[in-house]
Amino acid sequence: MTLKQIITLPDPFLRITAKPVNRVTRGIKKLLNDMLETMYDANGIGLASTQIKDDRRLIVMDCGKLNERYNENEERELDPNPIKMINPVLMFQSSDLVEREEGCLSIPGHQGKVKRPKLVKVSYIDENEVKKEFDADGLLATCIQHEIDHLNGVLFIDYLSRLKKDMIMKKVTKEYNNTR
Ligand code: ZN
């Protein structure tokens, strides 16, 4: 496996619209594995292809899966739950919204509250070229929407107030220029 470099704002590649995948090649399977590895290495719960400068519609996520074990504090433990999606499409988004604090591996150090549909249905092709579909809620629903947004060049800061967005853009642009 190969760790990929995650690009950060204001890299213009984050604003492209990624293209649909026609055939699931070995190269794509390898890239999905590399993306998962890169995401885990960066302590993220989701990563989209555009964040590693690839223009095909691919996302990976791991929001964990509840298991039946309880620890001493009676808190549920999470098992790993890696998900790889090719050409993901939202088939349904509830009118019910939920607000959650979001961050992004491409906008390190910044968070913001974003309101999104609470429930979604997503359809996609898996790495074996099988068409799949499932309903999601909670953190996974937010994550799926955040990652599909990336494939359309949309970032979570686009949902913030103009003031907050401008403030973040100003900071990241200054940092970006300082490292060049
Ligand atoms: Zn992101």
Side-chain angles (χ1 to χ4, degrees):
M1 299 217 205
T2 318
L3 289 182
K4 301 285 182 181
Q5 202 199 329
I6 300 173
I7 58 171
T8 56
L9 206 63
D11 192 313
F13 201 90
L14 289 169
R15 293 305 192 173
I16 70 153
T17 299
K19 302 183 197 105
V21 171
N22 295 320
R23 226 181 108 236
V24 182
T25 58
R26 274 173 60 182
I28 285 184
K29 288 186 197 188
K30 181 179 185 307
L31 184 58
L32 285 164
N33 287 332
D34 288 345
M35 283 171 64
L36 262 182
E37 206 65 17
T38 302
M39 180 194 82
Y40 287 131
D41 182 69
N43 290 317
I45 57 170
L47 187 71
S49 50
T50 50
Q51 294 179 273
I52 53 152
K53 255 186 160 149
D54 188 284
D55 70 349
R56 293 169 288 186
R57 300 186 80 82
L58 308 171
I59 61 177
V60 296
M61 287 167 290
D62 192 340
C63 293
K65 186 164 57 183
L66 284 177
N67 66 28
E68 297 309 310
R69 290 192 308 270
Y70 284 84
N71 64 22
E72 287 163 10
N73 303 320
E74 293 275 306
E75 276 175 33
R76 292 272 196 149
E77 288 179 23
L78 292 175
D79 282 338
N81 184 28
I83 301 174
K84 305 170 194 173
M85 293 184 182
I86 301 162
N87 298 343
V89 177
L90 290 171
M91 309 299 286
F92 168 79
Q93 291 176 283
S94 65
S95 51
D96 233 18
L97 305 178
V98 66
E99 191 175 61
R100 203 182 279 280
E101 179 134 293
E102 295 188 25
C104 181
L105 292 175
S106 293
I107 316 173
H110 298 280
Q111 279 86 33
K113 283 190 174 149
V114 179
K115 239 182 220 169
R116 296 184 189 268
K118 192 170 183 281
L119 306 166
V120 297
K121 184 189 278 291
V122 63
S123 151
Y124 63 99
I125 312 281
D126 76 3
E127 58 183 330
N128 301 311
E129 223 155 347
V130 176
K131 196 173 175 195
K132 297 216 168 144
E133 193 176 276
F134 67 82
D135 296 317
D137 64 0
L139 180 60
L140 183 58
T142 297
C143 193
I144 290 169
Q145 294 174 85
H146 176 119
E147 299 312 328
I148 291 179
D149 268 355
H150 270 300
L151 302 181
N152 299 321
V154 176
L155 303 169
F156 85 84
I157 56 166
D158 300 338
Y159 298 98
L160 306 179
S161 69
R162 164 109 335 235
L163 188 74
K164 178 114 202 246
K165 182 180 172 180
D166 285 351
M167 199 188 75
I168 292 174
M169 280 310 296
K170 219 166 134 181
K171 274 194 190 157
V172 297
T173 306
K174 198 173 155 196
E175 282 159 17
Y176 188 78
N177 292 334
N178 284 346
T179 55
R180 283 154 80 86

